[in-house]
PDB file of all heavy atoms in Angstrom:
ATOM      1  N   THR S  47     110.031 134.229 123.256  1.00  0.00           N
ATOM      2  CA  THR S  47     109.887 133.458 122.012  1.00  0.00           C
ATOM      3  C   THR S  47     110.456 132.168 121.926  1.00  0.00           C
ATOM      4  O   THR S  47     110.380 131.434 121.032  1.00  0.00           O
ATOM      5  CB  THR S  47     110.469 134.311 120.950  1.00  0.00           C
ATOM      6  OG1 THR S  47     111.798 134.805 121.366  1.00  0.00           O
ATOM      7  CG2 THR S  47     109.465 135.562 120.641  1.00  0.00           C
ATOM      8  N   SER S  48     111.262 131.733 122.981  1.00  0.00           N
ATOM      9  CA  SER S  48     112.015 130.546 123.001  1.00  0.00           C
ATOM     10  C   SER S  48     111.222 129.372 122.629  1.00  0.00           C
ATOM     11  O   SER S  48     110.193 129.273 123.093  1.00  0.00           O
ATOM     12  CB  SER S  48     112.757 130.408 124.375  1.00  0.00           C
ATOM     13  OG  SER S  48     113.427 129.170 124.356  1.00  0.00           O
ATOM     14  N   ARG S  49     111.736 128.446 121.741  1.00  0.00           N
ATOM     15  CA  ARG S  49     110.981 127.306 121.410  1.00  0.00           C
ATOM     16  C   ARG S  49     111.805 126.082 121.330  1.00  0.00           C
ATOM     17  O   ARG S  49     113.021 126.142 121.238  1.00  0.00           O
ATOM     18  CB  ARG S  49     110.455 127.465 119.926  1.00  0.00           C
ATOM     19  CG  ARG S  49     111.471 127.645 118.848  1.00  0.00           C
ATOM     20  CD  ARG S  49     110.806 127.798 117.521  1.00  0.00           C
ATOM     21  NE  ARG S  49     111.571 128.774 116.628  1.00  0.00           N
ATOM     22  CZ  ARG S  49     112.515 128.165 115.663  1.00  0.00           C
ATOM     23  NH1 ARG S  49     112.708 126.967 115.525  1.00  0.00           N
ATOM     24  NH2 ARG S  49     113.124 129.077 115.044  1.00  0.00           N
ATOM     25  N   SER S  50     111.053 124.855 121.648  1.00  0.00           N
ATOM     26  CA  SER S  50     111.826 123.564 121.579  1.00  0.00           C
ATOM     27  C   SER S  50     110.874 122.713 120.799  1.00  0.00           C
ATOM     28  O   SER S  50     111.280 122.420 119.626  1.00  0.00           O
ATOM     29  CB  SER S  50     112.100 123.130 122.928  1.00  0.00           C
ATOM     30  OG  SER S  50     110.860 122.929 123.750  1.00  0.00           O
ATOM     31  N   PHE S  51     109.940 122.151 121.421  1.00  0.00           N
ATOM     32  CA  PHE S  51     109.083 121.029 120.620  1.00  0.00           C
ATOM     33  C   PHE S  51     107.683 121.456 120.600  1.00  0.00           C
ATOM     34  O   PHE S  51     107.164 122.202 121.445  1.00  0.00           O
ATOM     35  CB  PHE S  51     109.325 119.740 121.396  1.00  0.00           C
ATOM     36  CG  PHE S  51     110.639 119.220 121.360  1.00  0.00           C
ATOM     37  CD1 PHE S  51     111.427 119.119 122.526  1.00  0.00           C
ATOM     38  CD2 PHE S  51     111.289 118.875 120.040  1.00  0.00           C
ATOM     39  CE1 PHE S  51     112.778 118.750 122.383  1.00  0.00           C
ATOM     40  CE2 PHE S  51     112.655 118.374 120.057  1.00  0.00           C
ATOM     41  CZ  PHE S  51     113.330 118.343 121.194  1.00  0.00           C
ATOM     42  N   PRO S  52     106.912 120.922 119.737  1.00  0.00           N
ATOM     43  CA  PRO S  52     105.458 121.267 119.574  1.00  0.00           C
ATOM     44  C   PRO S  52     104.646 120.598 120.730  1.00  0.00           C
ATOM     45  O   PRO S  52     104.995 119.601 121.210  1.00  0.00           O
ATOM     46  CB  PRO S  52     105.034 120.787 118.205  1.00  0.00           C
ATOM     47  CG  PRO S  52     106.198 120.295 117.535  1.00  0.00           C
ATOM     48  CD  PRO S  52     107.242 120.020 118.490  1.00  0.00           C
ATOM     49  N   PHE S  53     103.464 121.281 121.034  1.00  0.00           N
ATOM     50  CA  PHE S  53     102.372 120.597 121.793  1.00  0.00           C
ATOM     51  C   PHE S  53     101.140 121.027 121.243  1.00  0.00           C
ATOM     52  O   PHE S  53     100.950 121.887 120.413  1.00  0.00           O
ATOM     53  CB  PHE S  53     102.664 121.018 123.250  1.00  0.00           C
ATOM     54  CG  PHE S  53     102.246 122.343 123.707  1.00  0.00           C
ATOM     55  CD1 PHE S  53     101.021 122.772 124.179  1.00  0.00           C
ATOM     56  CD2 PHE S  53     103.198 123.453 123.491  1.00  0.00           C
ATOM     57  CE1 PHE S  53     100.665 124.065 124.452  1.00  0.00           C
ATOM     58  CE2 PHE S  53     102.810 124.744 123.831  1.00  0.00           C
ATOM     59  CZ  PHE S  53     101.552 125.025 124.254  1.00  0.00           C
ATOM     60  N   LEU S  54     100.074 120.352 121.742  1.00  0.00           N
ATOM     61  CA  LEU S  54      98.644 120.539 121.328  1.00  0.00           C
ATOM     62  C   LEU S  54      97.954 121.333 122.384  1.00  0.00           C
ATOM     63  O   LEU S  54      98.090 120.986 123.513  1.00  0.00           O
ATOM     64  CB  LEU S  54      97.960 119.198 121.109  1.00  0.00           C
ATOM     65  CG  LEU S  54      98.477 118.368 119.915  1.00  0.00           C
ATOM     66  CD1 LEU S  54      97.835 117.028 119.904  1.00  0.00           C
ATOM     67  CD2 LEU S  54      98.136 119.105 118.600  1.00  0.00           C
ATOM     68  N   VAL S  55      97.231 122.321 121.960  1.00  0.00           N
ATOM     69  CA  VAL S  55      96.533 123.180 122.916  1.00  0.00           C
ATOM     70  C   VAL S  55      95.113 122.756 122.991  1.00  0.00           C
ATOM     71  O   VAL S  55      94.508 122.326 122.044  1.00  0.00           O
ATOM     72  CB  VAL S  55      96.493 124.671 122.300  1.00  0.00           C
ATOM     73  CG1 VAL S  55      95.955 125.491 123.340  1.00  0.00           C
ATOM     74  CG2 VAL S  55      97.854 125.150 121.890  1.00  0.00           C
ATOM     75  N   PHE S  56      94.619 122.785 124.278  1.00  0.00           N
ATOM     76  CA  PHE S  56      93.148 122.478 124.329  1.00  0.00           C
ATOM     77  C   PHE S  56      92.558 123.622 125.291  1.00  0.00           C
ATOM     78  O   PHE S  56      93.191 124.206 125.982  1.00  0.00           O
ATOM     79  CB  PHE S  56      92.826 121.077 124.954  1.00  0.00           C
ATOM     80  CG  PHE S  56      93.446 120.898 126.357  1.00  0.00           C
ATOM     81  CD1 PHE S  56      92.673 121.307 127.509  1.00  0.00           C
ATOM     82  CD2 PHE S  56      94.670 120.289 126.699  1.00  0.00           C
ATOM     83  CE1 PHE S  56      93.058 121.178 128.698  1.00  0.00           C
ATOM     84  CE2 PHE S  56      94.960 120.175 127.986  1.00  0.00           C
ATOM     85  CZ  PHE S  56      94.288 120.585 129.091  1.00  0.00           C
TER      86      PHE S  56
END
Side-chain angles (χ1 to χ4, degrees):
Chain S
T47 48
S48 171
R49 62 179 145 96
S50 58
F51 297 110
F53 70 97
L54 290 172
V55 188
F56 67 83

